[in-house]
Amino acid sequence: MALVGLEELHAARERIAGVAVRTPLVPAPWAADGGRRLWLKPENLQPTGAFKARGAYNRLAALSGEERARGVVAQSSGNHAQAVAYAAGLLGIKAVIVMPDTSPAVKVDATRSFGAEVLLVAPEERDTVPAELAERHDYVWVPPYDDPFIIAGQGTVGLEIAEDAPAELDTVLVPVSGGGLIGGTAAALKLTRPGVRVVGVEPELAADARASLLAGERITWPVADTYRTIADGLRTPSVGVLPFEHLTAYVDDIVTVTEDEIRATVALLARRGRLVAEPSGAVAPAAYFHRAAELGGRAVAAVVSGGNIEPALLAELLAG
């Protein structure tokens, strides 16, 4: 299976220009600990509150006229859902989104606000119902990560980091769910700044990608296990087939963080970084704060992948 290359990454950047935000790489001097420095890539500033806007628009904008007329179906716990709904609205495409009935209300409501039809299902049905709908209604299926256009769109994050980071950058931390973001970002970085280490970060309670990388093959975790983590955007039971090829080719390591560390980092980013991050979005910075010995590195960039958090949960974490 062909890996995404610079041609696809640059084409994606041109396609999403003016739709997805070119987020800054923000220095975090308050996070320096003497020997290390941190920069944050705030993808929570995207129009839909997460990096997913990049891949979704790149995928939908590349559809033919005939495909657009058929409409699209997608599955997501929330961030890909909002991104597909937003992109479909901009392009005049009908969108049906399948979401787990455990999805945060803020994500369900936002998806509907962009004009998509939302179908809530049991978590274990999230990844099977879209195929049934695609067959029944001839929709184009827009997967959340296992697609070269999705990977290339997410990979524009890596292109921007490579261009904006200081010369001394040595480590980039990226959250891992289905693998589209880290797969594309790692490809972009290794193809432009090959000396930089790319490290994935997962919750301990949903560490299927780390298990897969160590085993050299895709490992699937039960849905009941991955749904224990507060990081609802990272509950995918396994990385995708194409993203796994990118992981094995370009990712140096994957580390895990605990639930308490994720919670504490959400609060820290809000208080010190003035950034609203959902738990999934706080996972990569959490590794900087809590896994220094494992990471090494002295000049570190971390992707804050999203900020779609329930207000009540944010209040709870800030008070805790």
Side-chain angles (χ1 to χ4, degrees), residues 206-224:
D208 58 279
R210 175 174 168 79
S212 299
L213 194 63
L214 291 173
E217 61 181 358
R218 293 169 62 243
I219 302 295
T220 299
W221 278 33
V223 169

Side-chain angles (χ1 to χ4, degrees), residues 5 18 35 41 44 82 84-85 96 103-104 128 130 148 150 160 162 177 218 226 254 257 268 279-280 283 313 318:
K41 180 70 167 169
N44 56 315
Q82 293 171 77
V84 171
V96 178
S103 298
T128 57
I150 297 288
E160 294 171 11
S177 181
R218 293 169 62 243
T226 61
I254 297 178
V257 290
L268 181 62
S280 304
V283 164
L313 177 57
L318 285 170

Side-chain angles (χ1 to χ4, degrees), residues 122-177:
E124 59 271 15
E125 296 179 326
R126 189 196 77 159
D127 294 327
T128 57
V129 170
E132 298 169 5
L133 293 175
E135 182 175 357
R136 188 182 314 152
H137 301 288
D138 200 31
Y139 296 140
V140 176
W141 190 358
V142 181
Y145 43 82
D146 214 342
D147 179 282
F149 287 91
I150 297 288
I151 294 171
Q154 321 302 28
T156 58
V157 170
L159 289 180
E160 294 171 11
I161 292 173
E163 292 168 353
D164 295 347
E168 62 268 30
L169 180 75
D170 56 42
T171 305
V172 175
L173 306 176
V174 187
V176 188
S177 181

Side-chain angles (χ1 to χ4, degrees), residues 31-54:
D33 63 1
R36 299 186 305 150
R37 290 184 294 160
L38 176 67
W39 287 260
L40 297 170
K41 180 70 167 169
E43 286 295 293
N44 56 315
L45 301 181
Q46 291 295 341
T48 60
F51 73 95
K52 292 284 191 176
R54 297 173 181 267

Side-chain angles (χ1 to χ4, degrees), residues 280-294:
S280 304
V283 164
Y288 173 87
F289 294 112
H290 300 283
R291 293 292 179 270
E294 292 179 57

